[in-house]
Amino acid sequence: DKLVTKGFCIVQCYLGEAAHKGASEAVKGVNGWKRFVEEFEPAYLGKGAQGKAAWLESDLPDSEAGSGLELCDRLLTETSLALELVSQAMFGFGTIGRTDGLVRAPFDGMADEEQVMQERVALDDVEVQVKGRVEEHLKFVQQRRSGMVYF
């Protein structure tokens, strides 16, 4: 009901202290940290985002979630699957699946920030023509109907 009347809801889930510690430890081993193209970043990380982000590997519900980070991601997958059952009737749109998880973390100091920010891709004509970044971004923004955050 809260999603329909207010446009959002907060659901408190608790995986336990061991899962939270495991997630924190797993984040330290994540590779591929980056920042999004500046013009696109607010759609993914909100306005005034701080820190760095990395895409997680796709969560496959029939595989076993190992680390605490994978357990957190699995909880989001299970929630999205539950929403698929009611989204058309309650919200007027159908949901199918989800995007891969995105993990955020603070920079590990100035050197880390400089490295990540230096590698930040700028939007230019070559990127638009060769990789279709604008089209991909517009498709994401137009198709996104709900979002979930695990703290």
Side-chain angles (χ1 to χ4, degrees):
D1 284 344
K2 295 295 182 195
L3 279 174
V4 175
T5 59
K6 291 190 172 207
F8 72 93
C9 75
I10 298 172
V11 178
Q12 184 175 359
C13 300
Y14 187 69
L15 291 175
E17 191 65 31
H20 288 191
K21 285 183 181 179
S24 295
E25 287 300 315
V27 166
K28 294 175 185 174
V30 170
N31 295 313
W33 293 108
K34 66 181 200 168
R35 288 291 293 261
F36 290 93
V37 172
E38 188 174 1
E39 294 84 351
F40 300 168
E41 192 168 71
Y44 295 90
L45 303 178
K47 295 178 182 176
Q50 301 290 315
K52 55 191 178 180
W55 289 106
L56 299 175
E57 290 188 27
S58 297
D59 180 40
L60 304 173
D62 55 344
S63 65
E64 188 173 329
S67 73
L69 187 57
E70 290 171 343
L71 288 171
C72 294
D73 197 37
R74 175 62 48 85
L75 183 62
L76 296 176
T77 297
E78 291 172 352
T79 304
S80 70
L81 290 170
L83 284 174
E84 281 183 30
L85 301 174
V86 298
S87 64
Q88 186 65 50
M90 292 187 73
F91 311 124
F93 62 85
T95 58
I96 301 172
R98 57 167 282 210
T99 61
D100 290 339
L102 185 65
V103 62
R104 292 174 65 175
F107 291 115
D108 296 326
M110 289 300 294
D112 184 39
E113 181 175 3
E114 287 174 11
Q115 179 184 355
V116 171
M117 295 305 283
Q118 182 179 9
E119 294 173 5
R120 184 182 216 175
V121 176
L123 184 63
D124 61 21
D125 291 339
V126 174
E127 291 287 336
V128 173
Q129 292 172 2
V130 175
K131 296 185 180 174
R133 289 185 182 269
V134 171
E135 290 83 4
E136 289 176 14
H137 174 68
L138 291 174
K139 182 179 177 182
F140 169 76
V141 171
Q142 290 170 347
Q143 292 181 344
R144 178 185 62 194
R145 295 288 183 259
S146 64
M148 293 181 276
V149 177
Y150 190 96
F151 290 97

